[in-house]
């Protein structure tokens, strides 16, 4: 069944379908290729009529029968999971939503916004369903706004951002789960009757066990370059939940939003609760198109400094851990310059005097330089960096506190902790209560103070190593169920202030590896740290996972000493597919490797416009065999770069030619291209030949080898 047909089945499947509405009652929300159509039926309720490929003739939508109610509520005719559930003070917890008005407006940034206002005919609840469409990127954003228009408080128990309905034959869900150092593993499951939920309850972050995005193959398993597919993510740096529920008729509902777990919110008279955005795209040509929709949209509309380039960096974390002093750091700054790197990033361990941060057991919260490590302060380092022509970046973890810290001693009331129980710790630390405006000020001041004292700081790595534990807010007192939501809102308030005051600052979002990987966070951050696992073989999988919705310039990828059995070139080539960084000392490498890295960084700088701004095509998945390949095609000149990796090729593969051939993608079939292997260990380039785009995409080239842990980079230049 195609997307266009998917709703035809609803007519026979639904018991409660109202009569065919006339065209005037349709609310049509279209992007360049897709459309969502709602209908106000004779009973004045809103139904999802269609979600699929855009039809050329709008009046054709009126011939499609209605599907289920747009936003299913608790307590009415439906027997499955509702999107909205409101508890009224009289004990009646039912909600019915009838249509009031809708408006469509074109916003200045080229997006189109549709607001559908619904209200309960009996109670004074109002729910707005808001869509923003980015037509050229085929990206839709949906959220709801729930307003209490009565005189008494109401409690909202479930408050989804979006509910979408499907009536395809089969559904195949790809999730991206894992753990610390093993993030974003892709696996696909066929959905059967019942409910499947992807959610987290980590409080400070969305991710760690399951990334806040999914792919849903409609009718058939998702493929890279073919097939109908919904890809969705929630813009929320906290607890999220995606519910996929297949009912007894094989219809699927997808409910996305904040995880309502332990998070009922009370709305006072006149108060509105605005839910985070569910961001999604529909592709009729597989995962690749959906990814490129997300990448382009993110660069143009969501990601902070989305169309600016990114700095290469040298981080000292794995080079020194906590064991450093001014001398050592100055040496590393010199090494950054020697390698040709843009920025030196000082990681954890530079602060704390009563409780010096010599390990992760103490000092967090005390943001003054440790005097015996850095007697001349951060200023001596920013000066050294400036003298070397290298920018300076600094690690902070401002939302957290070690119990062994002056901050904890002074301000235990700012800490999320249970007043009447023993504390337990995640990485020896606790979370500060960002629902409290005083704590928001304190966190803002950490950055403000550092920037005032050291205006040469160009970058922060903002870490967040603990989920919320010991959950109790001294500030929220009798409203503890607000904490999960208000924490994240408090964080955004701080980030907004920082962005407003320091608009040039670039920041990496980090959360004990890849714990924070969401698009609302990326409104404030220029990039994120996908994983503490920098073994390049593992990274092929982790980066593969995150590349499904995040563009290369957001994915920090560092060359380290993890998995020393891999050549430095292999590690570097994996990292070149993202935002390249290094996290090692020069004496971790041979002189030959240092020379290679210097050339690789020059190559990367030349390729940045293609890798960071271009179209990404995943050519061969590491999940499929012993090789992997990805290419990037430049937007302007159509030149491309291809990265190929031989992981653990098997001898027999030589005869299975198709496994050794790489078919390129995204080229102009009519144009001719020169293919050259570049970035070779010995510094030479090797010509592969000249080919038409059609040849490269149809016949392909034998770019893989049978050498273990081997990598190659090919430049594909349009003639
Ligand atoms: C966790 C991060 O993921 C690491 O990169 C490093 O910054 C450490 N925290 C420092 O404590």
């Amino acid at each position: 069944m195609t997307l266009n047909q998917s709703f035809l089945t609803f007519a026979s499947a639904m018991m409660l379908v109202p009569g065919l509405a006339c065209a005037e009652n349709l609310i049509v929300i279209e992007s360049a290729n897709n459309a969502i159509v709602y209908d106000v039926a004779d009973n004045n309720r809103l139904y999802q009529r269609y979600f699929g490929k855009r039809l050329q003739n709008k009046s054709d939508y009126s011939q499609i029968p209605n599907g289920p109610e747009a936003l299913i509520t608790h307590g009415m005719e439906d027997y499955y999971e509702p999107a909205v559930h409101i508890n009224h003070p009289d004990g009646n917890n039912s909600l019915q939503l009838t249509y009031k008005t809708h408006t469509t407006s074109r916003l200045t940034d080229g997006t189109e916004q549709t607001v559908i206002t619904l209200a309960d005919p009996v109670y004074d609840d109002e729910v707005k369903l808001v869509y923003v469409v980015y037509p050229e990127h085929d990206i839709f954003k949906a959220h709801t706004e729930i307003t209490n228009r009565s005189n008494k408080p109401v409690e909202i128990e479930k408050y989804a951002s979006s509910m979408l309905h499907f009536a395809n034959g089969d559904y195949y869900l790809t999730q991206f789960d894992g753990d610390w150092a093993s993030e974003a593993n892709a696996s696909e499951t066929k959905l059967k009757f019942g409910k499947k939920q992807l959610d987290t309850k980590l409080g400070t972050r969305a991710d760690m066990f399951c990334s806040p995005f999914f792919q849903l193959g409609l009718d058939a398993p998702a493929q890279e370059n073919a097939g109908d597919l919904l890809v969705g993510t929630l813009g929320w740096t906290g607890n999220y939940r995606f519910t996929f529920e297949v009912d007894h008729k094989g219809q699927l509902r997808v409910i996305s939003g904040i995880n309502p777990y332990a998070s009922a919110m009370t709305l006072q008279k006149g108060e509105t609760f605005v839910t985070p955005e569910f961001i999604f795209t529909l592709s009729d040509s597989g995962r690749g198109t959906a990814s490129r929709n997300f990448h382009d949209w993110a660069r143009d509309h969501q990601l902070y400094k989305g169309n600016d380039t990114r700095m290469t960096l040298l981080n000292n974390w794995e080079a020194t851990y906590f064991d450093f002093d001014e001398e050592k750091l100055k040496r590393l700054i010199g090494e950054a310059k020697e390698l040709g790197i843009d920025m030196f990033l000082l990681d954890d361990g530079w602060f704390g005097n009563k409780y010096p941060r010599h390990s992760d057991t103490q000092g967090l919260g005390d943001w003054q330089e440790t005097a015996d490590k850095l007697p001349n302060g951060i200023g001596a380092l920013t000066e050294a960096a400036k003298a070397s022509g290298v920018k300076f970046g600094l690690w902070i973890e401002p939302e957290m506190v070690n119990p062994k810290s002056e901050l904890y001693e002074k301000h235990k009331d700012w800490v999320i902790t249970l007043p009447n129980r023993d504390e337990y710790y995640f990485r020896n630390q606790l979370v500060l209560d960002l629902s409290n405006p005083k704590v928001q000020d304190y966190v803002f001041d950490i950055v403000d103070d550092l920037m005032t004292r050291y205006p040469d700081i160009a970058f922060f790595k903002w870490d967040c190593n603990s989920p919320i534990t010991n959950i109790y807010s001294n500030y929220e007192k009798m409203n503890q169920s607000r904490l999960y939501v208000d924490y994240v809102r408090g964080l955004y308030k701080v980030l907004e202030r920082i962005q407003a005051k320091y608009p040039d600052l670039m920041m990496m979002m980090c959360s004990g590896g890849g714990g924070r990987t969401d698009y609302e966070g990326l409104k404030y951050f220029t990039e994120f740290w996908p994983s503490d696992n920098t073994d390049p073989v593992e990274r092929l999988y982790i980066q593969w996972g995150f590349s499904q919705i995040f563009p290369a310039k957001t994915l920090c990828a560092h060359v380290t000493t993890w998995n020393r059995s891999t050549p430095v070139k292999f590690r570097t080539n994996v990292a070149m597919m993202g935002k390249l960084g290094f996290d090692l000392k020069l004496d971790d490498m041979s002189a030959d490797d240092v020379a290679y890295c210097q050339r690789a960084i020059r190559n990367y700088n030349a390729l940045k416009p293609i890798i960071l701004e271009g179209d990404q095509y995943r050519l061969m998945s590491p999940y499929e065999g012993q090789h992997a390949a990805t290419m990037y095609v430049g937007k302007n000149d159509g030149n491309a770069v291809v990265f190929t990796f031989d992981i653990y090729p098997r001898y027999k593969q030589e005869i299975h030619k198709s496994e050794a051939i790489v078919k390129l993608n995204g080229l102009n079939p009519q144009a001719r291209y020169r293919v050259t292997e570049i970035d070779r260990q010995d510094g030479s380039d090797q010509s592969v030949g000249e080919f038409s785009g059609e040849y490269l995409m149809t016949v392909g080239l034998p770019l893989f080898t049978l050498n273990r842990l081997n990598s190659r980079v090919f430049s594909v230049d349009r003639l």
Side-chain angles (χ1 to χ4, degrees):
M1 192 191 304
T2 66
L3 285 174
N4 319 16
Q5 293 166 323
S6 64
F7 279 93
L8 297 179
T9 54
F10 270 130
S12 52
M14 289 287 298
M15 298 288 289
L16 295 164
V17 176
L20 201 68
C22 52
E24 307 76 85
N25 291 341
L26 295 187
I27 301 167
V28 179
I29 302 165
E30 287 176 323
S31 66
N33 295 300
N34 296 309
I36 299 177
V37 181
Y38 289 106
D39 174 53
V40 183
D42 295 346
N43 61 4
N44 212 28
R45 285 161 73 171
L46 187 76
Y47 293 83
Q48 181 182 311
R49 169 157 297 204
Y50 180 74
F51 178 24
K53 214 172 192 138
R54 176 182 178 150
L55 304 183
Q56 291 312 305
N57 189 349
K58 270 197 177 49
S59 65
D60 284 353
Y61 295 126
S62 64
Q63 291 184 279
I64 302 172
N66 270 342
E69 189 159 12
L71 278 181
I72 293 177
T73 52
H74 166 74
M76 303 307 293
E77 307 90 338
D78 184 76
Y79 303 115
Y80 294 90
E81 182 71 22
V84 189
H85 178 160
I86 299 181
N87 296 325
H88 301 109
D90 65 358
N92 185 330
N93 299 334
S94 67
L95 176 72
Q96 191 186 74
L97 293 176
T98 52
Y99 172 85
K100 287 285 161 208
T101 57
H102 80 276
T103 56
T104 300
S105 44
R106 190 162 280 280
L107 307 181
T108 45
D109 60 354
T111 59
E112 197 167 273
Q113 178 175 280
T114 301
V115 181
I116 308 171
T117 304
L118 308 164
D120 192 307
V122 176
Y123 289 92
D124 296 317
D125 306 312
E126 182 188 275
V127 178
K128 286 191 159 89
L129 175 58
V130 182
Y131 274 98
V132 175
V133 183
Y134 299 80
E136 78 278 23
H137 301 313
D138 273 321
I139 290 281
F140 295 75
K141 277 179 170 181
H143 77 269
T144 53
E145 296 178 7
I146 304 172
T147 303
N148 172 14
R149 297 223 175 274
S150 75
N151 287 324
K152 291 190 178 153
V154 297
E155 184 188 68
I156 56 172
E157 188 172 320
K158 286 185 179 150
Y159 37 85
S161 299
S162 155
M163 181 170 209
L164 292 171
H165 302 276
F166 299 86
N168 300 74
D170 295 303
Y171 313 98
Y172 294 84
L173 175 69
T174 303
Q175 64 192 64
F176 298 86
D177 58 30
D179 194 355
W180 175 79
S182 130
E183 291 86 346
N185 296 292
S187 62
E188 191 172 59
T189 325
K190 184 171 181 182
L191 298 177
K192 296 272 178 62
F193 174 85
K195 206 191 281 180
K196 160 90 183 168
Q197 287 185 331
L198 301 179
D199 73 343
T200 59
K201 306 181 185 74
L202 300 158
T204 55
R205 42 162 88 173
D207 202 349
M208 179 152 82
F209 305 129
C210 191
S211 303
F213 57 91
F214 66 85
Q215 297 168 324
L216 183 74
L218 301 168
D219 297 311
Q223 297 175 56
E224 187 61 33
N225 296 312
D228 293 333
L229 183 78
L230 170 79
V231 179
T233 185
L234 190 75
W236 185 245
T237 316
N239 301 350
Y240 72 89
R241 188 165 90 179
F242 300 121
T243 302
F244 306 86
E245 190 169 29
V246 180
D247 68 16
H248 56 291
K249 293 184 176 119
Q251 299 171 155
L252 171 74
R253 65 187 60 185
V254 179
I255 306 175
S256 308
I258 291 177
N259 191 345
Y261 167 80
S263 295
M265 303 290 288
T266 300
L267 297 189
Q268 302 300 333
K269 173 187 170 188
E271 198 183 341
T272 299
F273 185 84
V274 180
T275 63
E277 288 164 330
F278 174 59
I279 309 157
F280 59 101
T281 191
L282 201 58
S283 161
D284 65 358
S285 45
R287 294 179 157 128
T289 300
S291 298
R292 288 184 291 280
N293 289 350
F294 265 102
H295 297 174
D296 286 342
W297 160 80
R299 282 184 295 236
D300 286 350
H301 297 284
Q302 186 82 3
L303 172 64
Y304 194 50
K305 297 188 185 291
N307 284 313
D308 292 0
T309 193
R310 296 290 184 266
M311 291 184 276
T312 53
L313 65 80
L314 178 76
N315 188 190
N316 73 309
W317 176 240
E318 295 199 15
T320 65
Y321 293 103
F322 295 97
D323 178 20
F324 60 79
D325 56 18
E326 185 180 306
E327 222 18 67
K328 251 192 201 175
L329 297 179
K330 283 186 170 167
R331 225 175 10 253
L332 284 170
I333 291 172
E335 294 186 359
K337 179 185 164 64
E338 199 178 329
L339 282 169
I341 285 174
D342 299 325
M343 182 181 66
F344 172 73
L345 169 64
L346 172 56
D347 213 284
D348 195 356
W350 57 267
F351 48 88
N353 282 302
K354 181 170 178 190
Y355 301 105
R357 180 79 170 167
H358 53 57
S359 72
D360 62 18
T361 56
Q362 62 180 49
L364 209 50
D366 303 343
W367 298 102
Q368 296 79 37
E369 296 94 321
T370 308
D372 56 359
K373 263 186 181 173
L374 300 176
N376 304 304
I378 295 290
L381 301 173
T382 58
E383 284 308 313
K386 208 183 209 171
S388 300
V390 170
K391 299 264 187 219
F392 185 85
L394 191 63
W395 179 97
I396 48 174
E397 193 179 4
E399 300 157 73
M400 306 278 155
V401 63
N402 282 130
K404 246 177 129 181
S405 68
E406 292 183 74
L407 178 69
Y408 183 91
E409 287 170 353
K410 201 161 141 209
H411 271 303
K412 195 165 173 198
D413 54 324
W414 287 0
V415 179
I416 296 178
T417 188
L418 294 155
N420 52 357
R421 295 185 192 278
D422 289 345
E423 286 173 346
Y424 66 95
Y425 306 119
F426 189 103
R427 210 200 190 207
N428 311 303
Q429 64 195 59
L430 291 164
V431 179
L432 294 177
D433 184 359
L434 270 175
S435 71
N436 182 344
K438 283 199 182 124
V439 178
Q440 294 166 20
D441 288 344
Y442 158 82
V443 173
F444 171 77
D445 287 346
I446 293 169
V447 173
D448 196 30
D449 178 56
L450 283 165
M451 289 303 291
T452 308
R453 284 197 286 149
Y454 308 118
D456 286 327
I457 295 176
F459 184 95
F460 281 105
K461 174 178 177 183
W462 180 303
D463 210 342
C464 159
N465 279 291
S466 177
I468 295 181
T469 56
N470 308 271
I471 185 154
Y472 179 86
S473 161
N474 197 40
Y475 177 74
E476 304 268 24
K477 293 283 184 215
M478 298 313 289
N479 290 312
Q480 294 297 323
S481 67
R482 298 188 67 94
L483 182 55
Y484 279 132
V485 171
D486 284 349
Y487 182 90
V488 179
R489 288 170 159 180
L491 173 66
Y492 293 152
K493 281 188 191 150
V494 174
L495 293 169
E496 262 154 36
R497 287 170 69 188
I498 293 171
Q499 194 167 84
K501 185 151 183 194
Y502 301 105
D504 294 335
L505 255 187
M506 302 189 101
M507 297 205 289
M508 181 200 297
M509 177 161 72
C510 175
S511 184
R516 279 185 171 165
T517 60
D518 67 275
Y519 265 123
E520 190 63 19
L522 285 173
K523 271 186 173 169
Y524 307 99
F525 291 88
T526 47
E527 54 219 71
F528 69 91
W529 183 234
S531 179
D532 280 344
N533 187 339
T534 50
D535 174 332
V537 175
E538 299 295 323
R539 270 294 181 126
L540 282 174
Y541 293 85
I542 293 168
Q543 293 175 196
W544 190 268
F546 284 118
S547 80
Q548 302 297 323
I549 69 160
F550 296 112
K553 67 166 52 167
T554 62
L555 297 179
C556 299
H558 294 182
V559 180
T560 71
T561 53
W562 279 53
N563 195 349
R564 282 177 187 268
S565 68
T566 55
V568 167
K569 173 173 157 55
F570 188 95
R571 292 180 237 164
T572 308
N573 289 159
V574 171
M576 283 167 83
M577 294 195 300
K579 209 220 78 168
L580 175 66
F582 287 76
D583 206 337
L584 38 61
K585 304 181 286 302
L586 287 194
D587 60 17
D588 287 325
M589 296 190 281
S590 68
D592 188 43
D593 281 337
V594 171
Y596 161 76
C597 286
Q598 288 166 327
R599 284 193 305 275
I601 292 163
R602 283 200 295 276
N603 285 338
Y604 179 77
N605 285 336
L607 293 168
K608 262 184 186 176
I610 300 178
I611 299 169
L612 301 184
E613 328 288 346
D615 294 326
Q616 184 187 55
Y617 291 87
R618 291 177 297 258
L619 305 177
M620 171 86 63
S621 165
Y623 286 91
E624 274 165 30
Q626 288 74 27
H627 303 284
T630 295
M631 76 182 281
Y632 302 81
V633 183
K635 294 264 188 206
N636 298 330
D637 49 14
N639 290 342
V641 59
V642 182
F643 292 87
T644 65
F645 300 91
D646 309 305
I647 308 171
Y648 303 114
R650 293 167 56 214
Y651 170 70
K652 280 281 184 199
Q653 276 186 327
E654 206 171 11
I655 14 179
H656 298 303
K657 281 283 192 247
S658 66
E659 290 175 13
I661 297 290
V662 182
K663 289 183 187 166
L664 306 196
N665 206 335
L667 303 176
N668 179 340
Q670 272 84 49
R672 288 193 69 74
Y673 295 86
R674 181 186 304 119
V675 181
T676 313
E677 186 184 351
I678 59 166
D679 199 65
R680 287 156 57 86
Q681 181 79 25
D682 65 6
S684 69
D685 289 347
Q686 190 162 324
S687 168
V688 178
E690 288 180 13
F691 309 89
S692 69
E694 184 185 29
Y695 183 94
L696 292 171
M697 294 192 291
T698 312
V699 180
L701 296 174
L703 303 183
F704 292 130
T705 75
L706 287 179
N707 304 328
R708 287 182 142 218
L709 299 172
N710 185 54
S711 62
R712 299 169 89 188
V713 184
F714 299 90
S715 146
V716 181
D717 300 307
R718 199 170 160 165
L719 296 171

